[in-house]
Amino acid sequence: MSSEKQNTSKQTPQSDWKLELDKQWKQVSSRAGDYFNDHKEMFSLTKIASAIGGTLTLVWLASGVYIVDQGNRGVVSRFGAYSETTLPGPHWHIPAPVENVVIVNVEQQRFIEVGYTDTNRVNKSSVIPQESLMLTSDENIITVRLAVQYQINNARDYLFNVKNNENTLKQLTESVERGVIGRNNMDFVLTEGRSQIVAEIKQQIQEAMDGYKAGISIASVNLQDAQPPEEVQGAFEDAIRAREDKQRLINEAEAYSNEVIPKARGAASRIIQEAEAYEAEKVAKAKGETERFDQLLVEYEKSPAITRKRLYLEAKEKLYSGTNKIMLNDDQSSPMMYMPLPQTMTQHAQPAANNTEPELNAEPHNDKNSVRKSAGNELRPSRSKP
């Protein structure tokens, strides 16, 4: 049995993939030939040309579909003339050569540089002398580098009104810059006049571009650098240091002045106020004395003798109030007087009198004063409390 199986396997040939492929191709060709023979009217040249033409027409119409991204505007021109401006989103236009669409970015910030190249905006080696060297009003030469930032605000005007907008803007900026710099002196341009010059240049550029209807809006003008040429750079630095020293000394003098002047004004005001107060005091005192004298005159006219006596006693009281001496009347008819001498002395600012008992020696003037002789020549105050 095993030998018969081996003979059978040797007699059956293996399948070849090339033969299988040829078999399948013959079947497909046969079926295609049968289909062509059955539908010969469908494969005429006219119908083939119509199908090809229709396909090309659809492709041509589909090429008119375009999409405007956010921040852009689509400017449609028909046979070269402006047709419309489309907003962001999908749109369709008649394909070329009838209409063309140019996409313009109206939000992009664009730059131009005057006086240097845009490869390195801070490197002095990028300075262009033909653009940067300018003459001031005081006939000095300075090197100025300026950068202008702008953006498109009207896509139609930008494409159709001005040819080569960037080159036009650069030439206009250089012209305006030379005019503004030429009307100012070097010190003003290099020091405090930078902001004013930049604002003036920006205003004039915008006015000119609006006159051209270029569709450009100037966002900012930056004065990157302004300095004298390298040949006179050392002398200019010395002048700057001298100017700074001058300003420093002026500031110090003003600070000293601001410190001293208020003090002097305060002292002067204090002296004036003291003088006014002294004047008011003297005037008020004089008025009071005048009024008192007028009142006294009225009383004197009523009773001259009494008023005169009262004035005399008041004068004596005022006179004797400032002395520590005691006057005694030698009239024999008057009784003996008791005088608290220690207390009287204390009232006249003599503290030492509190520790002693002063004595008053009264010398008799006649022999008839027997009463005072019996009492003794020494009068002593009482030690009891007053």
Side-chain angles (χ1 to χ4, degrees):
M1 292 296 293
S2 60
S3 59
E4 291 179 358
K5 291 181 179 179
Q6 292 178 357
N7 294 330
T8 304
S9 61
K10 289 180 179 180
Q11 293 176 358
T12 304
Q14 296 180 356
S15 61
D16 191 359
W17 64 273
K18 291 183 178 181
L19 296 176
E20 185 69 22
L21 181 62
D22 292 339
K23 182 179 179 181
Q24 295 294 333
W25 174 253
K26 288 179 181 180
Q27 292 178 359
V28 172
S29 299
S30 176
R31 292 177 181 178
D34 295 339
Y35 182 83
F36 179 77
N37 293 327
D38 296 337
H39 303 85
K40 287 183 178 181
E41 67 277 4
M42 295 181 58
F43 296 95
S44 62
L45 294 177
T46 304
K47 293 184 177 181
I48 294 174
S50 300
I52 294 174
T55 303
L56 293 177
T57 301
L58 291 176
V59 172
W60 179 72
L61 293 176
S63 65
V65 177
Y66 65 97
I67 298 176
V68 180
D69 295 332
Q70 188 67 30
N72 296 341
R73 297 292 184 271
V75 180
V76 181
S77 60
R78 183 173 300 165
F79 297 110
Y82 172 78
S83 177
E84 63 175 343
T85 300
T86 56
L87 298 176
H91 302 276
W92 181 86
H93 72 97
I94 302 175
V98 179
E99 290 183 350
N100 291 318
V101 178
V102 179
I103 305 299
V104 180
N105 191 334
V106 297
E107 292 185 356
Q108 179 184 2
Q109 296 294 331
R110 307 165 190 261
F111 295 89
I112 63 167
E113 294 80 14
V114 179
Y116 66 104
T117 60
D118 58 356
T119 56
N120 191 350
R121 297 180 179 177
V122 297
N123 190 3
K124 294 184 178 180
S125 62
S126 63
V127 174
I128 303 175
Q130 294 81 0
E131 298 179 359
S132 62
L133 292 178
M134 299 186 182
L135 187 66
T136 61
S137 61
D138 52 355
E139 299 182 356
N140 288 314
I141 298 176
I142 61 175
T143 301
V144 181
R145 295 186 294 168
L146 195 71
V148 178
Q149 183 179 1
Y150 70 97
Q151 65 183 96
I152 300 171
N153 60 3
N154 191 312
R156 174 187 177 181
D157 294 343
Y158 181 78
L159 293 177
F160 289 94
N161 291 343
V162 178
K163 183 179 180 181
N164 197 347
N165 294 274
E166 184 174 349
N167 189 27
T168 301
L169 179 59
K170 184 173 183 179
Q171 294 179 4
L172 175 63
T173 302
E174 183 179 353
S175 177
V176 171
E177 181 184 5
R178 291 186 182 278
V180 174
I181 296 296
R183 288 193 297 269
N184 298 279
N185 56 35
M186 184 178 68
D187 292 339
F188 182 77
V189 174
L190 299 180
T191 55
E192 72 274 8
R194 287 174 174 259
S195 59
Q196 180 178 345
I197 289 174
V198 167
E200 188 175 354
I201 292 175
K202 178 181 177 182
Q203 179 183 359
Q204 294 187 16
I205 294 175
Q206 187 65 65
E207 291 176 355
M209 298 307 290
D210 292 342
Y212 296 159
K213 295 182 179 180
I216 290 177
S217 175
I218 306 300
S220 64
V221 176
N222 299 319
L223 188 61
Q224 300 290 344
D225 191 16
Q227 60 183 2
E230 296 181 359
E231 293 78 5
V232 295
Q233 187 68 34
F236 181 74
E237 291 178 356
D238 293 339
I240 291 178
R241 285 193 292 268
R243 189 183 299 109
E244 292 176 351
D245 293 339
K246 175 184 176 182
Q247 188 64 36
R248 178 178 57 81
L249 294 176
I250 291 175
N251 294 336
E252 291 178 356
E254 290 178 352
Y256 178 75
S257 174
N258 295 333
E259 180 182 359
V260 173
I261 291 178
K263 292 182 179 180
R265 289 177 179 174
S269 178
R270 179 176 55 81
I271 294 174
I272 292 173
Q273 292 177 359
E274 291 178 354
E276 291 176 352
Y278 179 77
E279 177 187 8
E281 179 184 359
K282 291 299 181 182
V283 171
K285 187 175 181 180
K287 289 181 180 180
E289 293 292 336
T290 303
E291 293 177 358
R292 188 180 65 82
F293 182 79
D294 292 339
Q295 295 175 0
L296 184 62
L297 179 61
V298 174
E299 298 296 332
Y300 181 80
E301 290 176 352
K302 292 180 181 180
S303 55
I306 296 175
T307 303
R308 189 183 301 111
K309 182 66 175 178
R310 182 171 63 82
L311 292 175
Y312 173 75
L313 294 176
E314 289 178 355
K316 289 182 66 177
E317 181 183 1
K318 184 177 179 180
L319 178 64
Y320 292 151
S321 63
T323 182
N324 55 3
K325 296 188 179 196
I326 299 175
M327 305 298 294
L328 296 178
N329 190 1
D330 196 18
D331 189 4
Q332 295 180 0
S333 61
S334 59
M336 182 176 63
M337 299 178 63
Y338 170 76
M339 293 173 294
L341 296 182
Q343 298 178 7
T344 303
M345 300 299 289
T346 303
Q347 293 178 358
H348 290 83
Q350 293 183 0
N354 294 331
N355 298 327
T356 60
E357 295 181 355
E359 295 181 356
L360 180 62
N361 294 326
E363 297 291 338
H365 293 281
N366 52 36
D367 297 333
K368 295 180 179 180
N369 197 359
S370 59
V371 177
R372 291 186 179 180
K373 286 182 179 180
S374 61
N377 297 330
E378 188 176 10
L379 296 177
R380 298 182 180 275
S382 174
R383 296 183 182 273
S384 62
K385 293 184 180 179

